Amino acid sequence: MEHVPALDEDLKKTLGPATAKVLAEQLGLHTALDLLHHYPRKYAERGELTALTELADQLDEHVTVVAQVADARILTFNGGRGKRLEVTITDGNGRLQLVFFGAGVHKPHKELLPGTRAMFAGKVGMFNRKLQLSHPAYEPLGADASDQDAATAFAGRLIPIYPACAKLESWKIAKCVDAVLPSARETVDPLPPALREGRGLVPLTEALLKIHRPATKADVEDARQRLKWDEAFVLQVALARRRRADSQLPAVPRRPVPGGLLDAFDAKLPFTLTEGQQTVSKEIFDDLATEHPMHRLLQGEVGSGKTMVALRAMLAVVDCGGQAAMLAPTEVLAQQHHRSITEMMGELAEGGMLGGSDQGTKVVLLTGSMGMPARRKALLDLVTGEARIVIGTHALIEDKVQFHDLGLVVVDEQHRFGVEQRDALRSKGKQPPHLLVMTATPIPRTVAMTVFGDLETSVLDQLPAGRSPIATHVVPAKDKPHFLARAWERVREEVGKGHQAYVVCPRIGDEETADPKKKSAEADGDKRPPLAVLEIADELRGGALAGLSVEVLHGRMDPADKDDVMRRFAAGEVKVLVATTVIEVGVNVPNSTVMVIMDADRFGVSQLHQLRGRVGRGSAPGLCLLVSEMHEASPARARLAAVAATLDGFELSRIDLEQRREGDVLGQAQSGVRSSLRMLAVIDDEEVIAQAREEATRVVADDPELERLPGLKLALDALLDTEREQYLEKG
């Protein structure tokens, strides 16, 4: 009887220790089940040749191609002592050179005769401005009668091309899959039978067989559809159970009090709230009034007035006798929030102080770099309840920070905080506090539904009246150096009109202790190190912007110096601020009208959009110049052109996600961790995600513990390993 590997059996037993070690270390595959879920990334057809013309975008990547040998020749060098075999392969559209050296030339020279069709795998390199594979692994596809077995195996078949690595080519992975494929019939189907049948989806065993060994393209489509549903549905069940658990927790209702601090604040506002701000505020107030903790994501365009909405929510909680804490990712942002909130509140932020309002409260700042006396006073104000609003960095999370009655936690720029940090702050309430998460990186609806599926979502997409449009242009510094010279002239012109400017660089420039190997590699290669704040500031002071007040701002400066620079920039004393992305979020200087982003191609799409939002915040129009040395036809320039073409952050975030996939949606969102989504793409599969959410909500409402669905419970346990389980619990 054939041995069928158990799904959770270590691959050593089936494949041997050497192969199992490579699969585990290089591809993170440990069991038969892991390998069954390592899906082919594409399929080559017998007789159809994979396009070699696509390889230009795959430099330094491991690729597998199916092609035919056009010619092969041995060349000698070093006076005949060295040998090199050059093989040219073609797929009818493009040509590619393969090279073999030394003693390794004889075997391929015998086997790779003109007309031979084979699969080739290797790393795409460049030599003499031509793409090549050096010492590729290859597998002849047996087109002649002497290799009938290979010909039969491949004739009329789709050849799976797997995500591979240098030590294990695609076809070797295919042989490994063959060894565990019989165990596919042991898999437990996570989808409820009624759902599967109602949606016309094939059983899981059939899907796994079809995805790995399809006979037709229709087989691949059936399998993909089914496996996408598995991923979307199991994930949505996890999030639906989380939502249900949250709805059972107790919380103190915080209903706005007429004639309180919120009303007094609204009465002194010099402008009217936008319709969006009013709608979102109502959603938040309705949540705060319930006996279960609010879990709401507030996302909106840069400059849409999220801080105003959050402040009004905080004031409503203060009116009910509670305290509100705002958590910011950097000291610069915490100080900026504290400054802008106290300015907006005026005497209402001076409760208990001479000249303060009777209705007012104390608004305190708590950061890691504060002196001990100020810190001690802030901690005392929090524990006694004298300070009802606190704004701070991760310093708020420390054990010694105690609250009198924490009612609301506002987390700004959620993606910059670890789960444990947010959880530690939430645990400081006598009962779970209400939670409002803010992000200025707009997230398409389905991404929000997948990444933050346990949060209710509010969107602010209107800009307040008085905001000015921002014009964005790409400055091709290498192709047209005079464009860069003109960019600095524009900065001078804006300063001449009484405005201010930002210049952003990807690096600080004081990294003498950086890895010397990396530095020398960058120096030897074509790629120069990213432009640095300190170097650019010196260049500008001595050249294009000589005579203007130019200052620097970056994360390694002393906190007091950072605050001093920001204060002088806000006051208009500093005309040009050369900074890192420390100014990316929250910094609000309405008089700044122009931003020059150096090496803009080194930033992500959403980050560029965030940075651009620092200008055009007043009545004068904004200008953002994206400086790049990349070639016009490069993907990086296409990305910059997309940013220049639209101010719609939601559209840009879609482009961003399509280019870099979504990261691990259950772990640190979009952090570059390998995605738990192997088949599902949140941008392309919006419909499946929305339908899966409906089905999951229905299933969890009917059977919260999944007692009648053991297959689903098993899949959930596999998805939610300990780390992810904690993530979902903490949110």
Side-chain angles (χ1 to χ4, degrees):
M1 189 178 153
E2 65 168 324
H3 165 70
V4 178
L7 291 171
D8 56 358
E9 194 174 88
D10 193 300
L11 288 169
K12 281 180 200 158
K13 290 187 182 175
T14 317
L15 306 174
T19 302
K21 187 177 182 214
V22 175
L23 286 169
E25 289 178 358
Q26 302 286 318
L27 298 169
L29 307 173
H30 303 275
T31 66
L33 191 63
D34 290 343
L35 192 47
L36 286 174
H37 288 297
H38 186 69
Y39 308 131
R41 60 185 177 86
K42 63 178 181 178
Y43 302 85
E45 290 185 62
R46 182 77 181 103
E48 177 201 71
L49 301 172
T50 306
L52 298 180
T53 48
E54 294 171 12
L55 295 184
D57 295 333
Q58 314 250 2
L59 201 57
D60 292 331
E61 297 284 331
H62 287 279
V63 299
T64 302
V65 297
V66 180
Q68 187 168 309
V69 176
D71 65 63
R73 57 201 177 121
I74 286 185
L75 305 171
T76 58
F77 55 94
N78 276 356
R81 291 193 300 275
K83 285 186 178 177
R84 181 171 82 239
L85 171 64
E86 289 185 358
V87 179
T88 304
I89 59 173
T90 178
D91 62 358
N93 293 317
R95 294 167 83 82
L96 179 68
Q97 191 170 67
L98 317 176
V99 289
F100 301 84
F101 294 99
V105 304
H106 302 297
K107 185 171 181 280
H109 191 225
K110 280 182 194 165
E111 293 178 344
L112 298 178
L113 300 171
T116 303
R117 188 172 283 160
M119 287 199 286
F120 302 91
K123 192 175 180 182
V124 182
M126 181 81 80
F127 182 71
N128 278 345
R129 300 196 173 185
K130 282 187 181 173
L131 293 174
Q132 68 171 25
L133 299 185
S134 181
H135 276 281
Y138 60 89
E139 177 104 330
L141 292 186
D144 56 59
S146 68
D147 197 352
Q148 276 305 310
D149 289 348
T152 307
F154 286 101
R157 281 282 180 87
L158 292 168
I159 304 165
I161 307 291
Y162 287 91
C165 60
K167 293 182 180 175
L168 211 59
E169 296 86 11
S170 171
W171 55 83
K172 288 182 183 169
I173 293 172
K175 286 175 182 172
C176 296
V177 171
D178 283 339
V180 301
L181 210 48
S183 64
R185 56 178 182 260
E186 293 179 33
T187 53
V188 182
D189 202 319
L191 293 191
L195 188 159
R196 184 170 59 73
E197 287 155 19
R199 298 268 171 194
L201 300 167
V202 300
L204 179 58
T205 298
E206 188 182 327
L208 289 170
L209 292 171
K210 282 182 168 178
I211 199 75
H212 289 292
R213 299 296 172 262
T216 64
K217 288 180 178 176
D219 282 354
V220 177
E221 195 44 48
D222 286 350
R224 281 182 185 277
Q225 211 45 37
R226 164 60 213 249
L227 295 167
K228 282 179 181 182
W229 255 95
D230 277 19
E231 288 180 6
F233 181 69
V234 175
L235 174 58
Q236 291 299 344
V237 167
L239 294 168
R241 291 182 78 197
R242 164 74 196 280
R243 282 196 300 278
R244 188 177 185 281
D246 283 343
S247 71
Q248 319 250 308
L249 290 171
V252 178
R254 311 281 180 174
R255 297 181 181 89
V257 176
L261 187 56
L262 176 61
D263 282 353
F265 175 74
D266 283 350
K268 66 192 288 297
L269 279 179
F271 53 80
T272 310
L273 296 175
T274 65
E275 195 180 321
Q277 285 174 316
Q278 290 172 16
T279 304
V280 169
S281 289
K282 184 180 183 310
E283 291 170 352
I284 291 170
F285 292 150
D286 288 348
D287 281 1
L288 290 173
T290 63
E291 294 180 355
H292 305 294
M294 167 173 77
H295 284 88
R296 188 166 283 279
L297 171 70
L298 171 57
Q299 59 162 333
E301 282 291 6
V302 177
S304 58
K306 291 181 299 298
T307 307
M308 173 61 70
V309 169
L311 175 56
R312 294 183 74 245
M314 292 162 86
L315 296 176
V317 169
V318 170
D319 277 342
C320 305
Q323 289 169 293
M326 180 183 268
L327 189 60
T330 64
E331 292 208 351
V332 167
L333 186 50
Q335 288 160 345
Q336 176 76 30
H337 275 319
H338 182 255
R339 195 181 295 118
S340 64
I341 283 173
T342 49
E343 280 171 10
M344 281 193 279
M345 288 177 66
E347 73 280 1
L348 297 175
E350 296 166 359
M353 296 156 73
L354 199 62
S357 164
D358 294 340
Q359 287 176 300
T361 184
K362 195 180 273 190
V363 179
V364 297
L365 175 69
L366 190 65
T367 64
S369 66
M370 284 169 69
M372 272 318 291
R375 186 179 176 75
R376 210 173 282 123
K377 179 78 176 79
L379 291 173
L380 185 64
D381 286 344
L382 286 178
V383 78
T384 59
E386 190 170 330
R388 295 283 171 174
I389 294 177
V390 59
I391 292 138
T393 55
H394 57 274
L396 280 175
I397 296 162
E398 292 169 9
D399 290 343
K400 64 183 80 164
V401 180
Q402 299 298 325
F403 290 87
H404 177 67
D405 178 15
L406 181 60
L408 171 66
V409 173
V410 178
V411 180
D412 194 16
E413 287 310 308
Q414 182 273 344
H415 63 281
R416 305 277 277 274
F417 285 99
V419 172
E420 290 76 14
Q421 292 171 308
R422 299 197 302 278
D423 184 54
L425 187 53
R426 279 175 62 191
S427 69
K428 290 181 180 292
K430 293 186 177 76
Q431 287 192 347
H434 298 282
L435 176 70
L436 180 64
V437 169
M438 298 199 300
T439 177
T441 306
I443 309 166
R445 179 176 162 272
T446 44
V447 183
M449 198 191 292
T450 312
V451 179
F452 303 108
D454 57 313
L455 297 174
E456 296 301 324
T457 305
S458 294
V459 176
L460 276 177
D461 49 13
Q462 263 180 306
L463 291 187
R467 281 294 164 93
S468 302
I470 305 168
T472 308
H473 302 285
V474 179
V475 178
K478 203 167 191 175
D479 306 345
K480 298 176 179 171
H482 58 287
F483 276 36
L484 182 58
R486 176 67 187 129
W488 301 127
E489 283 174 20
R490 286 291 290 116
V491 170
R492 274 194 174 280
E493 287 165 14
E494 287 301 308
V495 172
K497 292 177 192 170
H499 298 307
Q500 291 158 274
Y502 297 100
V503 178
V504 179
C505 303
R507 193 165 62 94
I508 295 172
D510 60 356
E511 302 90 346
E512 275 76 31
T513 55
D515 182 354
K517 283 185 192 168
K518 191 175 174 194
K519 275 186 122 175
S520 64
E522 278 185 329
D524 294 343
D526 293 338
K527 212 170 184 184
R528 59 161 173 73
L531 293 172
V533 165
L534 301 178
E535 293 159 13
I536 292 294
D538 284 345
E539 278 180 34
L540 293 176
R541 287 188 192 111
L545 303 183
L548 300 185
S549 164
V550 177
E551 293 279 357
V552 301
L553 182 72
H554 59 76
R556 282 206 285 271
M557 285 167 63
D558 181 270
D561 293 341
K562 272 194 282 194
D563 197 38
D564 177 57
V565 170
M566 270 314 301
R567 187 189 53 73
R568 289 189 293 117
F569 186 62
E573 296 166 28
V574 173
K575 298 302 179 188
V576 180
L577 189 63
V578 184
T580 56
T581 55
V582 74
I583 56 116
E584 178 185 344
V585 287
V587 173
N588 183 27
V589 180
N591 192 43
S592 301
T593 55
V594 61
M595 172 174 285
V596 182
I597 304 178
M598 308 301 292
D599 279 346
D601 48 90
R602 305 217 185 208
F603 299 97
V605 168
S606 295
Q607 200 172 24
L608 291 170
H609 182 59
Q610 283 271 30
L611 287 165
R612 168 171 64 184
R614 300 306 107 212
V615 296
R617 300 175 79 86
S619 54
L623 174 66
C624 179
L625 301 172
L626 307 174
V627 180
S628 172
E629 292 187 357
M630 298 302 281
H631 189 270
E632 192 172 0
S634 65
R637 279 285 293 277
R639 220 170 52 236
L640 298 183
V643 175
T646 180
L647 289 171
D648 183 338
F650 288 90
E651 178 57 32
L652 288 172
S653 66
R654 289 181 75 92
I655 293 167
D656 200 15
L657 273 162
E658 281 163 357
Q659 287 177 342
R660 61 185 181 87
R661 287 296 300 247
E662 40 280 322
D664 190 330
V665 297
L666 278 182
Q668 286 298 317
Q670 299 173 34
S671 65
V673 179
R674 179 181 168 182
S675 178
S676 60
L677 303 182
R678 293 177 174 85
M679 189 60 75
L680 195 74
V682 290
I683 287 291
D684 299 334
D685 300 315
E686 295 186 73
E687 210 173 304
V688 174
I689 291 165
Q691 291 169 359
R693 181 174 167 124
E694 283 173 26
E695 295 276 12
T697 306
R698 199 176 302 129
V699 164
V700 171
D702 183 47
D703 182 8
E705 298 307 313
L706 309 178
E707 288 165 358
R708 299 192 297 279
L709 297 165
L712 177 55
K713 199 165 191 329
L714 207 65
L716 207 59
D717 292 342
L719 179 73
L720 302 179
D721 54 30
T722 313
E723 188 183 334
R724 288 190 177 131
E725 183 71 64
Q726 287 172 351
Y727 173 85
L728 282 175
E729 281 172 8
K730 294 173 181 176

